[in-house]
Amino acid sequence: MRSFFRQLRDRKVFRAGIVYLAAAWLVMQVADVVMPALHLPDWSLTLIVVALIIGFPVALVLAWAFELTPDGLRPDPAGARPDAADSDGDAAPARAGRDGTPSVAILPFLDLSADRDNEYFVDGLTEELLTCLAEVQGLRVASRTSCFAFKNQHADLDTVADRLGVSHVIEGSVRKHEDQLRIAVKLVQVDADSPVWSSTYDRKLDDVFAIQRDIATHVVGALRGRLRPRELAEATTSDPKAYEYYLRGRGYLMTHGTRQMEFARQMFTRAVEIDPEFARGWSGLAAASAALAIYHGGGDEAAETSSRASSRAVELAPDRADSHAVRGLALLASGEFEAAGAAFEKALSINPGHFEALYYYARACVHEGKTEKALELFERGAAVNPDDYECPLLASSLYSRLGEAEASREAARRGLENARRHLEDYPDNHRAYDMGACALIKLGDSDQAMVWAEKARALSPADVGTRYNAACVYAQAGEIDMAFECLEGLPIPRSWVENDSDLDALRDDPRFANVGRPDG
């Protein structure tokens, strides 16, 4: 009920009701004076009263559903109404989240553009703000996956805060027309049922990065008093079109689909063509190309593109953790595991909590047979991102390799719980199904494991990872022929196959010698 009344307030429903009643009273006063002078019949006044009574709930519904903007009457999406005022006053440090650390979730900004054709630009903008705030020491930011689970949903802020374990929520909307931007943003302290800070920016596209920095600075100031951000990502381009293509690329990069990953590569390529000195554009191109090479059958061409792009990113921004992380990812895509490890170490020396560096460094260690090191890195990744299901599920296999059966089952339980929660928000995510199937088979639920594996294959029958994980499930279930059928022709590096304990049941079969491709 508290959330409902907050929405009534935020959508200006109360104000609309008061204004309507005041206007109705004025109309009645004027009618009472004017109508006798015009010799109108007595029932005319009754008709006006009835019309005003009927109009009252209509006005409240319209106030709920729409907002009046300089561009006219627009739909008012739940929880993202742009605030006309800019409340920049100092805010007292606010209550912390569940673990005692100031905490915030950033809901995906809404695309209010006239044609609703800027979704990927808006998603990229949201992720940039997430990345920016995640680099602030002493501030816990809900993970990207958790935040984007609420995209296009109408959950109230109490639900969001409880689900994500945060004390504050950032809501926003973007309206883009050519090079004009209108960005409305609001930071809400949920338990106090009040906005802490809000602002509306009417700027040109050239100013988008300055807007991001301003938002981040105000959020940090509101949550941490006088504490300043330790590091906010620097703009490495002054060209607004290059940055727009970069933001669109970031939006596509989040989806993980083959087609979207190719679109991401195209956007990043366009960004660095416009501005060859754009370091973060090169990082994005390296990440998208490496993902295509590793997970989507992109082959040598994608790996080579990733290598060139990552080298350029390091050259232009050697002090950024993400530059070295994508360099490590590119080297991983090329099978240069030892060099990849050195690049990841450099990234972690700059930012010890860089999740991608931890995750891919762990994978590189698996290829090299460094099981204990890989296990340590996966567990560190799970601590950095408690919502992630891949790190604990991959750790489960490593515990099995080390003979730690109970630890393997416990990691499988953790990963499966996260996978189930992920599927509540993304019911068609084949990755969660195929990796969750591996956890189910470890936990003794072979029937459900088969259901999940088949579900993943139905959702994405050609996906390399889906087929590989299905083979792992079949191998552990004793379905040897089905396992080899899934593995046939897969471009999985041989070094991973050799070090994956989930395939132990296949090792004595002569067909195992032909599984995978040579590294490099």
Side-chain angles (χ1 to χ4, degrees):
M1 184 60 67
R2 182 181 68 181
S3 172
F4 175 66
F5 280 108
R6 179 174 60 241
Q7 291 194 51
L8 290 176
R9 180 199 65 202
D10 290 347
R11 293 167 180 264
K12 311 293 191 295
V13 174
F14 291 131
R15 186 175 69 178
I18 294 170
V19 171
Y20 184 93
L21 291 174
W25 179 85
L26 181 61
V27 169
M28 290 294 300
Q29 297 304 307
V30 172
D32 191 43
V33 173
V34 172
M35 293 182 71
L38 297 176
H39 304 292
L40 294 176
D42 293 341
W43 56 261
S44 298
L45 185 60
T46 303
L47 180 62
I48 291 176
V49 172
V50 171
L52 290 172
I53 292 173
I54 294 173
F56 183 66
V58 174
L60 297 183
V61 170
L62 289 174
W64 173 275
F66 294 91
E67 63 163 328
L68 185 62
T69 76
D71 300 321
L73 202 62
R74 300 284 189 185
D76 184 9
R81 186 187 187 101
D83 293 281
D86 183 353
S87 50
D88 287 337
D90 293 334
R95 183 182 66 81
R98 291 173 181 167
D99 59 358
T101 302
S103 54
V104 65
I106 307 175
L107 296 182
F109 283 19
L110 298 180
D111 177 17
L112 299 185
S113 305
D115 297 328
R116 300 293 193 271
D117 58 351
N118 286 290
E119 178 183 3
Y120 287 105
F121 172 84
V122 175
D123 285 352
L125 185 64
T126 306
E127 184 173 355
E128 277 289 277
L129 184 58
L130 272 162
T131 301
C132 191
L133 290 176
E135 293 178 341
V136 177
Q137 291 291 311
L139 176 64
R140 185 173 69 79
V141 181
S143 72
R144 175 182 65 195
T145 300
S146 298
C147 291
F148 271 82
F150 288 95
K151 183 177 178 179
N152 298 326
Q153 295 190 19
H154 298 290
D156 61 78
L157 297 190
D158 292 299
T159 299
V160 173
D162 183 65
R163 178 79 169 271
L164 303 184
V166 297
S167 56
H168 293 74
V169 175
I170 296 174
E171 306 173 281
S173 62
V174 179
R175 182 178 292 113
K176 182 178 180 293
H177 178 65
E178 296 180 348
D179 67 340
Q180 294 292 324
L181 286 176
R182 178 182 174 88
I183 299 178
V185 63
K186 177 168 58 180
L187 173 68
V188 178
Q189 183 177 352
V190 178
D191 64 352
D193 192 26
S194 63
V196 176
W197 170 79
S198 64
S199 186
T200 299
Y201 303 86
D202 288 293
R203 308 275 185 84
K204 289 187 176 294
L205 183 63
D206 312 50
D207 297 323
V208 65
F209 195 85
I211 294 172
Q212 289 175 212
R213 288 183 61 84
D214 189 67
I215 293 171
T217 300
H218 279 94
V219 168
V220 171
L223 295 180
R224 298 287 292 170
R226 296 181 180 275
L227 180 68
R228 300 291 297 175
R230 179 181 66 87
E231 176 189 354
L232 294 181
E234 294 294 332
T236 56
T237 183
S238 58
D239 192 300
K241 289 303 294 182
Y243 195 61
E244 179 180 1
Y245 280 117
Y246 169 79
L247 289 178
R248 291 183 181 276
R250 287 292 296 265
Y252 283 118
L253 196 63
M254 288 187 296
T255 63
H256 302 294
T258 301
R259 186 164 175 262
Q260 286 77 12
M261 204 63 63
E262 183 56 48
F263 286 156
R265 181 163 68 164
Q266 293 173 14
M267 294 296 102
F268 291 130
T269 298
R270 190 75 186 100
V272 297
E273 286 175 348
I274 294 172
D275 183 0
E277 304 299 308
F278 188 6
R280 291 163 68 203
W282 288 108
S283 289
L285 178 57
S289 299
L292 284 167
I294 297 171
Y295 300 114
H296 303 282
D300 293 340
E301 186 273 333
E304 290 169 4
T305 299
S306 181
S307 180
R308 290 195 303 271
S310 64
S311 294
R312 183 69 172 143
V314 171
E315 177 186 349
L316 291 168
D319 296 329
R320 288 191 57 83
D322 59 338
S323 296
H324 296 280
V326 297
R327 180 59 185 157
L329 182 57
L331 291 164
L332 177 59
S334 299
E336 301 175 60
F337 307 125
E338 186 174 349
F344 291 132
E345 286 283 2
K346 178 64 176 177
L348 292 172
S349 70
I350 298 171
N351 180 2
H354 197 287
F355 177 77
E356 285 76 13
L358 291 166
Y359 173 78
Y360 288 111
Y361 188 9
R363 293 188 70 100
C365 289
V366 173
H367 285 281
E368 292 186 274
K370 299 177 179 178
T371 304
E372 292 85 355
K373 180 66 173 178
L375 185 55
E376 173 204 339
L377 291 163
F378 278 133
E379 290 290 17
R380 284 173 59 186
V384 167
N385 184 1
D387 297 318
D388 176 67
Y389 58 86
E390 294 200 32
C391 281
L393 292 181
L394 290 167
S396 176
S397 295
L398 297 178
Y399 281 120
S400 293
R401 186 170 177 80
L402 294 173
E404 300 182 32
E406 184 51 42
S408 175
R409 286 191 291 272
E410 193 278 329
R413 281 191 289 269
R414 281 188 284 136
L416 181 60
E417 180 181 347
N418 285 351
R420 290 187 190 278
R421 189 158 48 240
H422 187 84
L423 286 168
E424 291 176 5
D425 301 318
Y426 301 91
D428 293 331
N429 187 295
H430 62 87
R431 182 72 170 168
Y433 274 116
D434 66 52
M435 294 199 69
C438 294
L440 286 163
I441 198 73
K442 286 182 173 64
L443 295 172
D445 193 347
S446 58
D447 291 341
Q448 189 66 14
M450 293 297 181
V451 171
W452 279 39
E454 291 302 324
K455 175 71 171 178
R457 295 182 71 184
L459 288 169
S460 187
D463 184 79
V464 173
T466 295
R467 288 177 57 193
Y468 181 82
N469 285 323
C472 292
V473 172
Y474 293 138
Q476 293 174 83
E479 302 287 349
I480 305 301
D481 290 338
M482 292 183 68
F484 278 115
E485 179 183 329
C486 289
L487 291 169
E488 185 176 0
L490 284 189
I492 297 292
R494 182 68 186 180
S495 56
W496 183 275
V497 172
E498 290 285 359
N499 290 291
D500 190 349
S501 62
D502 290 351
L503 299 179
D504 284 350
L506 309 182
R507 297 188 188 281
D508 294 334
D509 193 297
R511 291 172 289 182
F512 189 73
N514 298 319
V515 173
R517 61 170 173 81
D519 296 292

